[in-house]
Amino acid sequence: VPGYRLKFPQPFFKEFVLECPQSAEATQTIARRAGFDLGPTLNRLDGWTSIAPADRDRCLLVAVTECRTREEIDRLARALKAG
């Protein structure tokens, strides 16, 4: 989705940090309207990460497991794209 990117572009198993074009809270709101509950924002995790405090406001932890279908992931991507 344009404007969103992996904060750490490397292989991952189920969880990854998503850097958002707006605040992580705004991204959570968009996702909730589409029926998804994304992970925590990183601005609450002071001292836990090497991500600079100014960048944490736009980052959140996302977990995608085998319980999510391709259709659900595509629906989330469409919601994020629509904003």
Side-chain angles (χ1 to χ4, degrees), residues 2 17 19 26 45 48 55 60 63 67:
V17 175
E19 187 171 11
L45 303 174
W48 176 81
D55 292 338
L60 53 92
C67 295

Side-chain angles (χ1 to χ4, degrees), residues 1-5 18-24 26-27 30 58-59 80:
V1 175
Y4 292 87
R5 70 179 192 94
L18 183 65
E19 187 171 11
C20 310
Q22 68 276 331
S23 73
T27 299
I30 293 166
R58 295 185 307 115
C59 292
L80 293 177

